[in-house]
Amino acid sequence: MIQSYSMNSTSSLISPDVSGYQSHDIKPVKLGVMASGNGSNFEVVAQAIKSGDLNAQIQVLIYNNPLAKAAERALNHGVEAILLNHRHYQKREDLDREIVSTLRQYQVDLVVMAGWMRLVTQELIDAFPNHIINIHPSLLPSFKGVRAVEQALEAGVKITGCTVHLLRLEMDSGPILMQAAVPVLPNDTAETLHARIQVQEHRILPLAIAQVADKI
């Protein structure tokens, strides 16, 4: 799915090495993106598609927060945005059934959780086995769950980063697809560290999508 990708001097911080990687697939993979907030990871996927770096098309964005800016980003790219407000469902399973129905309606091949801030159930996982990927702002298995950046700072680690992985029922678990390391600087705050982690998230997410899509 990636035709070409130019690495800079920090490429050694990304594993596995994907420099020179080229897809042999011709048919674009159909993506369903799930987001809860600003949607910067949605934006980077959409831009990678637009530039021709990622051979994919976003079929639909599903968002659960009525104030999520991801919906505006989707509309700007001509992608339909569907609000499924989690507050309107009594059980998580009910929400996930609606998500599955929507994704199937849009004939999605691969689900990308790009800042989806809700725990999922087996309903969703069973509907798309090994076809749901998630991005998390830490080097898993360290610092799972919310406030991952703050957890890293509190632990005093010198290196953190981000991880793209296949989704499993346990929070922030599942086979790791790609990671990028980010040094923790002495004067870092949660905001400055998160900003540098996010730069690496934007690098590895399209690459990880491409690698999974090649196996579909």
Side-chain angles (χ1 to χ4, degrees), residues 174-210:
I176 291 172
L177 300 171
M178 190 170 292
Q179 292 183 309
V182 175
V184 181
L185 305 181
N187 59 345
D188 261 331
T189 64
E191 290 75 20
T192 61
L193 181 55
H194 184 264
R196 294 204 315 283
I197 291 173
Q198 197 167 59
V199 170
Q200 298 305 319
E201 288 182 357
H202 294 170
R203 294 178 67 198
I204 68 174
L205 182 57
L207 292 166
I209 292 171

Side-chain angles (χ1 to χ4, degrees), residues 43-93:
E43 183 71 29
V44 77
V45 173
Q47 291 293 348
I49 294 170
K50 184 177 180 179
S51 67
D53 286 333
L54 180 61
N55 185 21
Q57 58 189 49
I58 303 176
Q59 302 290 98
V60 64
L61 168 75
I62 295 175
Y63 65 109
N64 66 304
N65 175 8
L67 300 179
K69 293 183 180 179
E72 182 179 345
R73 292 180 185 269
L75 295 177
N76 288 340
H77 286 279
V79 174
E80 189 160 357
I82 305 296
L83 173 62
L84 298 179
N85 191 331
H86 63 275
R87 297 174 182 84
H88 297 166
Y89 298 85
Q90 289 189 344
K91 298 188 297 182
R92 293 183 188 274
E93 288 82 0

